[in-house]
Amino acid sequence: MEPRTIDGEIIATRLDDERTFEGVRTRRIVAFCVDYLIVGLLLIPFAIIVFLLGILTLGLGWVLFGVLVPVVALLYIWNTMGGPNQATIGMAMMGLKLERLDGRPIDGLTAVVHSVLFWAGNAILTPLVLLVTLFADRKRALHDLLLGTVVTRTAR
């Protein structure tokens, strides 16, 4: 991509344009809530399957209830954020997508590691992970900094 000038400012790449990150923090929070709702709805059919499996196995299948939520959430992340849109359904609704700083596409494993680092950071630092976005470049969260990723607006 050749450098271009917008409002007198030289923009070399899309990630150099500040408008790409306007409102990202708020949109990420709303997208997170939407994705939580979707994962909750996805849990219903899977819980029914595990319940029936538990009946068929005389209760042994019910052990799967302990890992049901993380497995469904990680499968959701793998298939949405690790897919061609590089965004979960909530992120797509908010006009966001996850990008790597090196320009390569996000694969399923990177998406899952991104999610696991987010939850590990939340377990240790609770809501303080959002404070990093106030001071980091491009409004990146702690897990974004660790993975070399950034969340951008798709419409900009």
Side-chain angles (χ1 to χ4, degrees), residues 115-129 142-143 146:
S115 180
V116 169
L117 285 175
F118 168 75
W119 284 110
N122 265 333
I124 296 167
L125 302 170
T126 12
L128 297 177
V129 280
L142 182 61
H143 50 287
L146 292 173

Side-chain angles (χ1 to χ4, degrees), residues 46-65:
F46 283 103
I48 292 170
I49 291 169
V50 169
F51 176 75
L52 295 175
L53 182 66
I55 291 173
L56 290 174
T57 61
L58 302 175
L60 288 176
W62 292 333
V63 174
L64 294 175
F65 275 122

Side-chain angles (χ1 to χ4, degrees), residues 14-15 86 97-101 106 148-152:
R14 194 171 93 76
L15 295 180
Q86 297 185 183
K97 78 180 218 176
L98 185 67
E99 295 185 39
R100 292 172 64 146
L101 293 178
I106 300 292
T149 58
V150 63
V151 176
T152 61

Side-chain angles (χ1 to χ4, degrees), residues 37-87:
L37 178 66
I38 292 170
V39 169
L41 293 173
L42 286 173
L43 280 171
I44 295 170
F46 283 103
I48 292 170
I49 291 169
V50 169
F51 176 75
L52 295 175
L53 182 66
I55 291 173
L56 290 174
T57 61
L58 302 175
L60 288 176
W62 292 333
V63 174
L64 294 175
F65 275 122
V67 296
L68 188 62
V69 174
V71 167
V72 169
L74 292 177
L75 284 172
Y76 173 75
I77 294 294
W78 181 288
N79 287 309
T80 55
M81 196 183 303
N85 293 335
Q86 297 185 183

